[in-house]
Amino acid sequence: MIESLKCNRFDMEIIELSWFQLAIGFLSLLIPGAILWWYKTGLNRKMVIATIRMTLQLLFVGYYLEYIFEYDNPWLNLAWILIMVVVADFATIDRSDLRQKVSLIFPIFGATFLGIVMIDFFFLEVVIQLRTILEAQYAIPITGMVLGNCLRSNVIGINDFYYNLKENQERYQFYLASGATRSEALYPFFQRALQKSANPTLASMATIGLVSLPGMMTGQILSGSSPMTAIQYQIMIMLAIFTGTILSVFLAIIFSNRFVFFENDMPDPSIYKR
Amino acid sequence: MLLEGKNIDFKYGNEIIFKDFSFELNEGEKLVLKGESGSGKSTLFRLILGFELPDNGEFLYNGSILKNDNLKSFRKETAWLPQDLNIGNGSVKEVIEYPFQFKSSSVEKPAPNTIKNLLNDMRLESSILEKSFSDLSTGQRQRIGILTCILMNKSLMLLDEPTSALDRESKVKLADLLLNSERTILSTSHDPFWVERCDRIIEMQQI
């Protein structure tokens, strides 16, 4: 009796949203629009463009994912993951203050891809134990969430590493002049970049559930999962995100170091925008 | 001859810093490059250490031309005091001890007593070790920088304006510690106190 009640309680069908209902949702933008306009922030145009972009991008992804979910072919899923990694690679350099140089594009791509492959293999195949390899229902959203966070951490980590090095170039050179190898002289810069990129994820891990309900968990609860299942997945995704972000920042710095530095251990100055 | 610069040409953009500049430094010698700021004194250290590459000319260490393949072993023989004194992060103790963690370090991490004695020679209290390096005055940082270079015990010291932020008493102590030793020292300075006490002077002209 209790079991069936439990099932009934969480086996509810999600309320389907009509396009009209979604359109009503857009009316909420009148409030921020009015506030931003009243204080002459100059952000109204940006808000409209961002809203249109968000809507079109998500609709496009939605249609594409419906297709991917329907076919659920591992090769197709892998291709989609590769596309996401390439976009994240260019977005990382674009959002940082570094130039789109081959010496950065390829190492960051390699680092992000390798990081994602390791995370996906461990969490999808070892922890969740998918029924088929790269099953779209799990592989696509989990990879997407980890990748989104890797992107943010890579931007912080790579930017901090190379700009801290530029601003404290004499300290780096002092270490080299004292006989340090390149990796020994770069150690303190590496240390700070890792601290800076790990902090946002650590802060959100420390407050999750108390301050906010994360998106993935909210989505699962809305679509009818029990809160405990949603929480189990959320804990797993937080572990995947944290491991993935540290791994990709670590690999991105290690890989890019191989291409950015000249033989005399000086970094290529043309990578800097400012 | 320990170090030699031969016919060095170097320019930043269109600005000529060195044109056909040469020098020789013998083992144990204290050579000072004297000149006003902008005459390229600090750049010479960056060129010697391979952080910048000359447009023409070469540097020789113990008779061998310094190139990328032997630059790393050359740097193991040097201790450099840069002019801006940005030589570390954290506490003064951490800054002093950091270079001794390098695999190449030929000397052990200095014993607390060795550091204390040198601090005393430099007219600094032992309590400075616990302070943050970034909170020190320029003069204090300069003395900590020199102390670190001395502790590294390298065969060649490259000192950029070593007395620029020191008072008279500290300069006397420093000159006694370094210029009366058997070390080989290449320095830059426009401080008459230091310049007069070195073995040889090269006047640098702004080109």
Side-chain angles (χ1 to χ4, degrees), chain B:
Chain B
M1 200 175 315
L2 190 70
L3 183 69
E4 191 178 1
K6 266 185 171 174
N7 313 105
I8 305 296
D9 288 346
F10 182 70
K11 55 182 180 182
Y12 262 133
N14 290 329
E15 192 190 351
I16 298 172
I17 310 289
F18 291 110
K19 182 129 187 73
D20 204 24
F21 178 75
S22 299
F23 72 92
E24 291 173 354
L25 176 68
N26 295 310
E27 199 155 353
E29 192 178 20
K30 280 82 183 161
L31 174 63
V32 63
L33 307 170
K34 186 188 168 196
E36 293 309 311
S37 51
S39 57
K41 302 191 303 287
S42 303
T43 310
L44 184 67
F45 288 141
R46 299 169 50 73
L47 285 165
I48 293 171
L49 289 162
F51 301 143
E52 305 275 1
L53 302 175
D55 302 322
N56 275 311
E58 58 205 14
F59 293 98
L60 288 90
Y61 184 69
N62 278 328
S64 305
I65 297 173
L66 288 175
K67 289 183 190 157
N68 284 328
D69 53 354
N70 60 359
L71 207 51
K72 287 178 174 73
S73 57
F74 167 67
R75 289 175 186 159
K76 289 177 188 168
E77 310 280 320
T78 61
W80 170 52
L81 178 76
Q83 196 175 3
D84 87 339
L85 301 163
N86 181 3
I87 59 165
N89 205 12
S91 73
V92 173
K93 189 168 182 276
E94 286 167 339
V95 170
I96 293 173
E97 290 180 350
Y98 191 68
F100 297 92
Q101 294 173 22
F102 303 149
K103 276 181 285 184
S104 66
S105 178
S106 52
V107 281
E108 291 289 305
K109 197 168 89 176
N113 263 344
T114 315
I115 298 178
K116 267 185 194 168
N117 290 340
L118 257 181
L119 283 172
N120 196 34
D121 284 341
M122 295 275 177
R123 301 175 59 242
L124 292 166
E125 300 284 335
S126 304
S127 58
I128 202 170
L129 290 171
E130 306 312 319
K131 285 190 182 171
S132 166
F133 183 72
S134 56
D135 290 344
L136 302 188
S137 68
T138 314
Q140 286 172 322
R141 271 196 275 164
Q142 196 162 41
R143 280 178 279 172
I144 294 297
I146 293 165
L147 180 146
T148 311
C149 289
I150 292 174
L151 285 170
M152 280 193 260
N153 202 22
K154 301 292 183 81
S155 52
L156 174 62
M157 284 180 100
L158 305 168
L159 308 175
D160 201 347
E161 298 285 355
T163 57
S164 61
L166 301 187
D167 55 38
R168 171 100 194 162
E169 243 179 291
S170 300
K171 284 182 194 179
V172 173
K173 277 280 182 192
L174 185 67
D176 189 42
L177 264 174
L178 294 178
L179 300 181
N180 294 333
S181 71
E182 289 184 354
R183 297 168 196 275
T184 310
I185 300 175
L186 177 62
S187 60
T188 67
S189 183
H190 56 267
D191 176 3
F193 178 91
W194 181 264
V195 172
E196 284 162 13
R197 281 161 181 78
C198 288
D199 300 335
R200 199 152 54 89
I201 306 165
I202 293 180
E203 293 269 0
M204 309 264 297
Q205 306 292 336
Q206 203 159 2
I207 299 171

Side-chain angles (χ1 to χ4, degrees), chain A residues 247-259:
Chain A
L247 192 61
S248 69
V249 172
F250 169 75
L251 293 174
I253 295 176
I254 292 264
F255 290 174
S256 63
N257 278 355
R258 295 203 166 271
F259 298 94

Side-chain angles (χ1 to χ4, degrees), chain A residues 69-234:
Chain A
F69 277 51
E70 193 182 326
Y71 282 87
D72 201 4
N73 176 305
W75 293 108
L76 194 63
N77 299 345
L78 181 66
W80 178 246
I81 289 171
L82 262 173
I83 291 169
M84 288 200 288
V85 173
V86 170
V87 174
D89 178 26
F90 281 94
T92 302
I93 301 172
D94 196 42
R95 288 186 202 177
S96 74
D97 278 331
L98 298 165
R99 291 191 191 280
Q100 289 200 344
K101 306 272 295 182
V102 174
S103 57
L104 289 171
I105 292 171
F106 283 106
I108 294 174
F109 172 80
T112 316
F113 186 66
L114 188 58
I116 283 296
V117 165
M118 289 163 82
I119 292 296
D120 274 359
F121 174 77
F122 183 73
F123 284 96
L124 299 177
E125 308 302 334
V126 179
V127 179
I128 304 179
Q129 297 173 17
L130 296 183
R131 290 156 291 208
T132 55
I133 290 174
L134 287 180
E135 196 177 338
Q137 186 192 347
Y138 296 87
I140 302 294
I142 289 174
T143 306
M145 287 201 69
V146 175
L147 205 50
N149 284 277
C150 285
L151 165 64
R152 188 185 59 176
S153 297
N154 278 350
V155 171
I156 299 172
I158 292 270
N159 223 26
D160 185 79
F161 180 82
Y162 285 108
Y163 274 93
N164 186 20
L165 183 62
K166 189 183 182 201
E167 281 151 26
N168 293 290
Q169 204 182 128
E170 226 161 21
R171 184 185 305 165
Y172 169 64
Q173 291 171 351
F174 172 75
Y175 295 146
L176 289 175
S178 307
T181 60
R182 188 192 301 167
S183 53
E184 283 172 332
L186 288 175
Y187 184 88
F189 300 93
F190 216 130
Q191 184 183 45
R192 203 185 85 163
L194 284 171
Q195 286 167 340
K196 291 251 172 177
S197 56
N199 272 336
T201 314
L202 285 175
S204 80
M205 277 167 83
T207 56
I208 201 161
L210 297 175
V211 180
S212 62
L213 279 187
M216 180 181 180
M217 195 174 133
T218 314
Q220 270 189 296
I221 293 173
L222 281 176
S223 62
S225 296
S226 86
M228 201 41 80
T229 306
I231 277 178
Q232 284 176 319
Y233 270 91
Q234 189 59 48

